[in-house]
Every structure is written in C-alpha cells, then in structure tokens.
Amino acid sequence: AALRRHSGTASLQAFACGALRNLAGNIGYDTIGTGNAGAVEAVVQAMRRHSSDRVLQTRACGALRNLTRRVAANRTLAVNEGAIEAVVAAMRTHALVVELQERACGVLRNLSSSIMESRNLAGDADAVQAVVAALRGHPTSAEVQETASVALYFLIKDNTENKRLAR
C-alpha cells in the first residue's frame, strides 16, 4: 500500500521495497499472493519513477528477485509489467553498485529460467549485455560472478540471438 500511496517519496519507496524483499525472502511468504496484491507492479513502477535512486533500485531488485524466485505467477506479472527493462536500466545507471548488480542478475535469472518468451524480451532489452557487463565490471565479487553466470546460462539457453549478443 505504501508503494502506491506515496509513490513520489523515494526514501519511503526504498524502505517499502526493502520490506518486500525481506518478507518475500522468507520461505513460503511469497506463495500467499504478494504478486496478486500488486507488489510486483508497484515495485516496477517505483523503479521507473525513481531511476536515479541507488538505494531504491538496489532494494527493488532484491524485492523482485525474491518475489519471482518461487512463484511462476509473479514471474509472469514481472515480465508483463516491464521488470526486465526496469532491471536493465538500473544495471546501466548503477553499474558500480555490486549489490544491485547481483540482485538484478538474480531477477534476470528467475525471469529467464522458466519463461521462454522472456529470453527474447531480455535480448531485446539488452539484458544479455548488462549481465556480461556485470561479469566484467565486478570480477572480484563471487556473488556477482555466480549469479550473473547462472543468469547468462538461462538467457542464452536455446536462444541463438542471445548467444550472439553474449560474445
């Protein structure tokens, strides 16, 4: 509710995204319908509205990562709402923020692991290039290396165009 009611307040949006990240990270929580309650859409809208806010973007990526981890319906909602494009924009804008890069790659991993169409959308949205940039930009972060590698695996799986983009 806070994400919708106070959409113009970046700091409140950042805290709300952080709370969603923490709640959805608890095993079982995200199965009770947070996506259907508008959480996924609200997070993506907050990302669009406050694209320059590093803290909000980092927390929003964490919220999307956790919301899309185990619930297929949330993955579909995220793709349809434009989460891929919002996450890629955050990765480009905040390329030096290690935590954001790891969480963003987690979102892209979740969305591309089970929705074949999202691999095409991700390629069109430059997600492959963003993941490769995260790998190259953060060679000493084991978390980024692991999450980005898995994301890249799913992004290029059975997708010739994305394989070409990864080279």
Side-chain angles (χ1 to χ4, degrees), residues 2-3 5-15 46 49-50 53 56:
L3 282 167
R5 262 189 238 127
H6 303 284
S7 62
T9 309
S11 61
L12 188 137
Q13 298 276 293
F15 281 116
R49 195 173 294 114
H50 303 286
D53 190 303
L56 182 143

Side-chain angles (χ1 to χ4, degrees), residues 106-129:
V107 175
L108 295 173
R109 172 201 62 213
N110 294 349
L111 298 181
S112 62
S113 66
S114 64
I115 305 172
M116 183 65 115
E117 300 81 41
S118 68
R119 292 180 196 155
N120 295 331
L121 290 171
D124 293 343
D126 296 333
V128 175
Q129 296 93 320

Side-chain angles (χ1 to χ4, degrees), residues 76-98:
T76 301
L77 282 170
V79 169
N80 292 340
E81 187 62 29
I84 293 170
E85 295 83 356
V87 166
V88 170
M91 292 177 79
R92 284 189 187 137
T93 302
H94 306 284
L96 300 178
V97 182
V98 174

Side-chain angles (χ1 to χ4, degrees), residues 5-123:
R5 262 189 238 127
H6 303 284
S7 62
T9 309
S11 61
L12 188 137
Q13 298 276 293
F15 281 116
C17 286
L20 271 173
R21 179 199 69 225
N22 292 342
L23 287 170
N26 292 331
I27 294 175
Y29 179 82
D30 56 352
T31 63
I32 66 168
T34 52
N36 293 333
V40 171
E41 296 94 331
V43 170
V44 173
Q45 289 169 6
M47 292 180 77
R48 287 189 190 119
R49 195 173 294 114
H50 303 286
S51 61
S52 64
D53 190 303
R54 174 187 59 80
V55 173
L56 182 143
Q57 295 295 314
T58 302
R59 291 179 181 170
C61 285
L64 285 174
R65 178 199 59 204
N66 290 355
L67 286 166
T68 60
R69 183 178 293 148
R70 292 181 291 268
V71 181
N74 287 354
R75 289 190 289 274
T76 301
L77 282 170
V79 169
N80 292 340
E81 187 62 29
I84 293 170
E85 295 83 356
V87 166
V88 170
M91 292 177 79
R92 284 189 187 137
T93 302
H94 306 284
L96 300 178
V97 182
V98 174
E99 191 174 16
L100 182 143
Q101 297 296 312
E102 186 273 328
R103 291 176 181 182
C105 287
V107 175
L108 295 173
R109 172 201 62 213
N110 294 349
L111 298 181
S112 62
S113 66
S114 64
I115 305 172
M116 183 65 115
E117 300 81 41
S118 68
R119 292 180 196 155
N120 295 331
L121 290 171

